Amino acid sequence: MSSEPFTCLVADGSATARELICAIVESAGLILCEAGDLNGALALACLHCPDLFIIDTAIDDAHGLYAIEQFRRVTRRAHIVAIALTGERYGAHPDVLRAAGFAHSISKPVKASQLRAVLTELLNRPDVYRTS
Amino acid sequence: MGASAGIWDKPERWLAAIIESSETAIMGTSFDGIITSWAGSATRMFGYTAEEAIGMSVYQLAWPGEEAKIPDLLAAVQHGERIHGFRTSRRHKDGHCVFVSLNLFPIRDERGAVVGVAKFARDMSERVREQQEQERTLAELITERKYRELTEHAPDGILEVDADGRIIIANQAAVAMFGFPHNELIGAPVEILIPHAGRSDHPGHRVEFMRIGKTRPMGQGINLNAIRKDGSEFPVEISLSPVQTGVGIVVIAVVRDVSARRSVEREVQRLQASYLAELEARQMEAERLNRLKSEFVASVSHELRTPLHTIIGFTDLLREDPQQTLTVRQGRFVENIQRDSEHLLELINDVLDLSRIEADGLTLHIEGVKLCPVLETVVTSLKSNAERKGIRIHLVCDDAIFVAADPTRLRQIVANLLNNAIKFTAPGGEIGIAVTAAHDFVTVAVKDSGIGIAEEEQTRIFDKFYQVGVTTGGVREGTGLGLAICKRLVEMQGGRIDLTSQKGIGSTFRFTLPCDSNHITS
């Protein structure tokens, strides 16, 4: 594995919520890029080819749920590792999220310990793509 | 003069001539009714010759039923009484009835003693028959008059039509209904009352009706119309009755003008349509408002939840405080903010859930769910809350049990019940979760050793906004929606929920869900 830190793209329509996620991700030692809408997120994804995506599914009128394919296209990657942030109390239906291409989901409000645990789990997986 | 003088000289001849020419039957009988003399018109009146009659009993002459009166009559005369105009019936020799008026006199001997009975019978048959005929005629007249009065004053139009289709009787109601003077109706073809559209076919129908000769009751034959003299048409109901008379078959038609009724029916239909339209409009409006309400609630809830999510997230971050920059007091403040924010978020989520359920906006994804992992997940997520109060949670579950449920909503139900159990159980208490399967259903029981619920509150515990409070020693957290939501969610998934509780001992909430048919549990 490379010693380069991982890059994470955070996409959330709420600046405050975004700042919270970024703070947690940053505290986990990842390099951050953030966007308040999908177009911005796609542009950043094209530019930075992040290792990990954290996407609020409600962004841009719930288009976040269907954004994985677009990220694949702009990053030219066959596999995207993404975490869905959902507003549902007990989480969105796992089948729906799986079908949309998300590796994991976290229900808001996001607890720091919970997100860090997920990050650790995902970043230790061998299938996480590393930029060279 | 000589001949005349001869008759007057022989009074018995003169008397015999009078008797023989009399219209009266003159008879003599003994007191026991044996005929002793037979003269006058007796033979003509009763058919017996004198030779036949003399020696017969008068009882043989009596019309059946009249014999009983004879003894009294004879006895009376025997006692010297005279009887005048006694009306009775006698039987002619050929069997027919002869109505007679009797005069009875005693026959006396030279000494004046009564020795027999003289009877004078006058034939009243013709008079009685005339009288009976008169009575019959009178009765017929009365019947006829009653019939005519009935017909005349009937509220429906009544027409009598002969075999050629000519009107022979029309009552007042028919005259008023059709607008023809009575004299114009009588003798006119009934087709003048049929609208032009059906007039040419009517004679054929009429002939066919006469041929079949079956009564057609009122109300059969829908949407019949008749036409008035002024050409205006109106709806009618008609009953037709064929009647056999001395002059052949006639048809009595009873015609009812149903204009008013049809008008009322139309008005009722109009009102019904208007009412239904209004009802539909109101229903649509209610549905629209309900949708708006749901959208509003969803929107407001989302807007409220978003900042709460970040408040809770940031306070969570602050509490970590890796550099120890917060004082103890500040740390407690942050903890307060987080706890109350989480409580507020729960309230908002409950309102949103119930709003979705009531607006039928909650879609369930029913699938085969392995129950134990779901229960374990919920227990794990709430374990820290329980541990803070020193409460132990025991979970007993057979790993082979699957239920047909929405996993997310199943988690929500269990979490709600377990949360309540933790909330209402005193520190150091115990909570048990047990699963049993029977008859295609799985039962999950969440049992606590908490404060229990008073019996009077148990029936209302699943009502919206109902909170046990008075009996729970002041624990009144939440919206009072959690159990109402649980009940709806369980029922939406084909199950039931109930509780048993004893104040001061604890409560057990049980809910059932159908077994997953692909994983039937023995």
Side-chain angles (χ1 to χ4, degrees):
Chain A
M1 281 181 72
S2 164
S3 58
E4 286 289 313
F6 289 92
T7 311
C8 178
L9 171 63
V10 176
D12 195 312
S14 160
T16 325
R18 206 164 57 241
E19 189 179 351
L20 171 68
I21 304 299
C22 286
I24 300 168
V25 172
E26 210 166 25
S27 71
L30 278 72
I31 296 172
L32 271 168
C33 52
E34 57 178 293
D37 56 42
L38 276 180
N39 283 336
L42 287 168
L44 287 173
C46 182
L47 193 64
H48 299 293
C49 278
D51 301 295
L52 188 67
F53 294 77
I54 300 177
I55 302 160
D56 176 18
T57 54
I59 194 171
D60 289 1
D61 291 331
H63 281 89
L65 187 61
Y66 312 105
I68 300 294
E69 183 53 41
Q70 290 168 282
F71 285 121
R72 278 197 196 112
R73 214 165 32 242
V74 296
T75 58
R76 295 178 188 165
R77 288 182 182 172
H79 187 61
I80 291 285
V81 180
I83 300 167
L85 301 180
T86 71
E88 297 297 323
R89 178 162 38 164
Y90 295 95
H93 194 275
D95 288 350
V96 175
L97 294 171
R98 212 173 296 125
F102 287 95
H104 222 296
S105 73
I106 297 175
S107 298
K108 290 183 177 182
V110 178
K111 298 286 182 70
S113 55
Q114 186 188 12
L115 179 53
R116 280 197 209 103
V118 173
L119 288 174
T120 306
E121 184 206 325
L122 287 177
L123 295 175
N124 283 327
R125 269 166 46 174
D127 59 339
V128 176
Y129 185 89
R130 288 307 314 263
T131 49
S132 55
Chain B
M1 284 298 286
S4 298
I7 288 171
W8 290 107
D9 290 343
K10 294 189 172 66
E12 63 278 7
R13 283 193 185 175
W14 175 74
L15 195 58
I18 291 172
I19 290 169
E20 286 307 313
S21 63
S22 171
E23 290 294 314
T24 302
I26 301 168
M27 298 160 285
T29 69
S30 61
F31 297 125
D32 55 1
I34 301 301
I35 297 169
T36 53
S37 60
W38 188 260
S41 291
T43 298
R44 184 182 51 77
M45 201 176 291
F46 299 113
Y48 296 97
T49 62
E51 289 74 24
E52 289 171 327
I54 291 171
M56 265 173 64
S57 168
V58 289
Y59 289 94
Q60 285 178 262
L61 287 179
W63 188 254
E66 293 292 309
E67 306 95 326
K69 299 171 184 172
I70 294 174
D72 288 346
L73 290 173
L74 294 175
V77 176
Q78 193 177 6
H79 287 94
E81 283 185 38
R82 290 167 167 247
I83 295 168
H84 293 278
F86 182 80
R87 295 202 171 206
T88 184
S89 308
R90 293 287 179 256
R91 185 166 49 194
H92 191 274
K93 185 182 176 184
D94 65 11
H96 79 262
C97 181
V98 182
F99 296 99
V100 291
S101 174
L102 295 178
N103 289 341
L104 289 87
F105 300 98
I107 301 170
R108 296 175 187 276
D109 61 11
E110 296 80 3
R111 292 189 304 273
V114 178
V115 294
V117 180
K119 286 185 181 178
F120 300 88
R122 207 142 46 87
D123 189 351
M124 304 296 286
S125 297
E126 194 60 32
R127 219 159 122 187
V128 167
R129 270 193 286 275
E130 277 173 10
Q131 197 176 343
Q132 284 176 341
E133 186 64 29
Q134 279 172 2
E135 283 169 2
R136 194 165 51 243
T137 306
L138 186 64
E140 281 175 4
L141 280 172
I142 289 168
T143 305
E144 172 77 7
R145 205 178 81 190
K146 279 184 179 168
Y147 168 74
R148 287 203 176 278
E149 277 176 3
L150 198 66
T151 305
E152 275 304 297
H153 296 100
D156 292 329
I158 297 175
L159 299 167
E160 198 173 303
V161 179
D162 68 14
D164 298 325
R166 305 248 160 221
I167 298 168
I168 49 180
I169 288 177
N171 71 346
Q172 286 174 16
V175 169
M177 194 183 293
F178 292 102
F180 284 96
H182 188 263
N183 61 345
E184 280 187 37
L185 278 178
I186 301 303
V190 73
E191 277 75 27
I192 63 165
L193 309 178
I194 309 296
H196 298 289
R199 192 172 287 180
S200 59
D201 294 336
H202 191 263
H205 297 321
R206 186 161 44 74
V207 169
E208 182 64 9
F209 177 78
M210 289 280 196
R211 190 183 67 76
I212 294 169
K214 196 174 167 189
T215 297
R216 194 181 78 181
M218 184 76 76
Q220 272 193 8
I222 50 165
N223 296 330
L224 292 173
N225 272 5
I227 189 168
R228 299 189 184 90
K229 187 181 182 186
D230 64 9
S232 59
E233 293 187 18
F234 60 104
V236 289
E237 280 185 356
I238 301 176
S239 79
L240 297 173
S241 306
V243 177
Q244 184 71 50
T245 68
V247 291
I249 288 182
V250 296
V251 174
I252 295 176
V254 180
V255 187
R256 184 171 296 165
D257 182 349
V258 293
S259 306
R261 199 175 77 199
R262 291 278 156 83
S263 172
V264 169
E265 283 170 359
R266 277 197 300 274
E267 182 61 10
V268 168
Q269 280 172 355
R270 192 189 65 74
L271 285 171
Q272 274 178 341
S274 155
Y275 174 71
L276 282 175
E278 192 182 327
L279 200 66
E280 201 174 336
R282 284 189 182 187
Q283 196 172 344
M284 284 172 70
E285 179 63 7
E287 283 169 6
R288 191 184 70 82
L289 290 174
N290 201 34
R291 267 198 313 277
L292 279 178
K293 185 201 81 176
S294 297
E295 286 167 13
F296 173 76
V297 170
S299 168
V300 168
S301 299
H302 177 73
E303 293 306 317
L304 288 172
R305 285 195 309 173
T306 303
L308 273 175
H309 287 157
T310 50
I311 291 169
I312 293 165
F314 277 119
T315 49
D316 185 56
L317 262 185
L318 270 178
R319 283 184 63 196
E320 285 185 343
D321 191 22
Q323 277 84 40
Q324 303 281 310
T325 50
L326 295 177
T327 64
V328 173
R329 195 162 176 250
Q330 285 168 334
R332 205 171 58 245
F333 290 171
V334 171
E335 196 180 322
N336 289 345
I337 294 169
Q338 189 180 24
R339 190 185 58 244
D340 284 358
S341 299
E342 283 176 347
H343 178 56
L344 185 56
L345 184 62
E346 283 299 307
L347 302 185
I348 292 167
N349 282 331
D350 278 353
V351 170
L352 182 61
D353 275 348
L354 194 67
S355 170
R356 278 180 184 162
I357 290 168
E358 291 192 337
D360 293 330
L362 189 73
T363 308
L364 295 179
H365 302 273
I366 304 290
E367 58 188 63
V369 182
K370 196 172 186 180
L371 188 56
C372 287
V374 174
L375 300 179
E376 282 161 2
T377 305
V378 177
V379 170
T380 305
S381 67
L382 296 173
K383 203 171 184 178
S384 57
N385 293 357
E387 282 172 351
R388 272 200 292 275
K389 291 178 74 176
I391 296 170
R392 282 177 299 172
I393 303 174
H394 307 281
L395 171 62
V396 180
C397 181
D398 180 345
D399 206 38
I401 291 178
F402 282 75
V403 289
D406 180 317
T408 305
R409 298 301 163 187
L410 173 60
R411 212 159 62 236
Q412 182 175 354
I413 295 162
V414 178
N416 196 298
L417 297 180
L418 190 54
N419 245 328
N420 281 349
I422 295 168
K423 196 193 299 179
F424 292 107
T425 299
E430 293 199 347
I431 295 170
I433 303 175
V435 178
T436 51
H439 308 297
D440 299 336
F441 277 88
V442 172
T443 303
V444 180
V446 180
K447 182 179 182 182
D448 64 52
S449 58
I451 52 178
I453 300 161
E455 204 173 329
E456 63 270 22
E457 289 195 282
Q458 290 178 19
T459 52
R460 298 187 59 195
I461 196 92
F462 295 105
D463 290 353
K464 279 190 295 185
F465 302 111
Y466 188 80
Q467 287 182 296
V468 285
V470 180
T471 60
T472 55
V475 182
R476 285 177 71 98
E477 291 177 25
T479 53
L481 293 175
L483 287 175
I485 292 169
C486 278
K487 184 171 191 289
R488 304 285 184 92
L489 290 177
V490 167
E491 288 171 355
M492 283 170 77
Q493 295 176 85
R496 292 180 63 180
I497 187 167
D498 58 27
L499 90 149
T500 50
S501 184
Q502 207 174 342
K503 200 139 185 292
I505 305 291
S507 305
T508 303
F509 282 83
R510 287 184 192 81
F511 71 90
T512 61
L513 286 174
C515 288
D516 177 37
S517 56
N518 296 320
H519 300 85
I520 292 296
T521 312
S522 61

